[in-house]
Amino acid sequence: QVQLVESGGGLVQAGGSLRLSCAASRITFGIYNMAWYCQAPGKQRELVASITSRGSTSYVDSVKGRFTISRDNAKNTLYLQMNSLKPEDTAVYYCKADHSLMTYWGQGTQVTVSS
């Protein structure tokens, strides 16, 4: 059974940093396009950043220059480095893996940014 397990969330003050990780198991990680999504209370889940199997990255405008998505295929792990955090970044963060018709989600990790 495929597993995506996020970690690294927590409570941080505005201006602080967090590094999220998403450890994948039982998939050929390197062929999957990966992404981070977030879902704030009362809102829909939305895309934050993505990275293709070849390493091309893209970001939503609100996090450009502050967040960095990366992957380590040897460790089957996806990362999201989050700097200059703002209270509006508060949400549950999920990782997603896509390949062909297969899509997998992690269980999420809570990020709370206090002002």
Side-chain angles (χ1 to χ4, degrees):
Q1 183 177 354
V2 173
Q3 279 193 318
L4 299 177
V5 180
E6 299 96 335
S7 61
L11 174 63
V12 64
Q13 289 189 332
S17 298
L18 286 173
R19 188 193 196 201
L20 305 184
S21 298
C22 171
S25 58
R26 300 185 183 90
I27 62 171
T28 307
F29 182 77
I31 68 172
Y32 279 76
N33 298 319
M34 302 295 297
W36 287 100
Y37 282 71
C38 70
Q39 187 167 18
K43 294 187 177 182
Q44 290 189 330
R45 193 172 298 187
E46 58 185 22
L47 178 66
V48 175
S50 63
I51 183 166
T52 69
S53 59
R54 296 185 176 186
S56 296
T57 59
S58 64
Y59 300 89
V60 66
D61 285 346
S62 61
V63 307
K64 284 181 180 177
R66 299 191 299 124
F67 292 8
T68 302
I69 189 171
S70 61
R71 64 191 298 162
D72 186 335
N73 291 340
K75 295 183 178 180
N76 287 1
T77 302
L78 176 73
Y79 302 101
L80 185 67
Q81 179 66 44
M82 310 167 70
N83 298 330
S84 302
L85 282 161
K86 304 175 181 180
E88 51 264 44
D89 295 320
T90 295
V92 179
Y93 284 74
Y94 300 88
C95 66
K96 187 180 82 166
D98 276 302
H99 175 66
S100 186
L101 298 178
M102 297 177 288
T103 298
Y104 302 102
W105 289 92
Q107 84 291 345
T109 186
Q110 176 70 47
V111 171
T112 303
V113 184
S114 63
S115 57

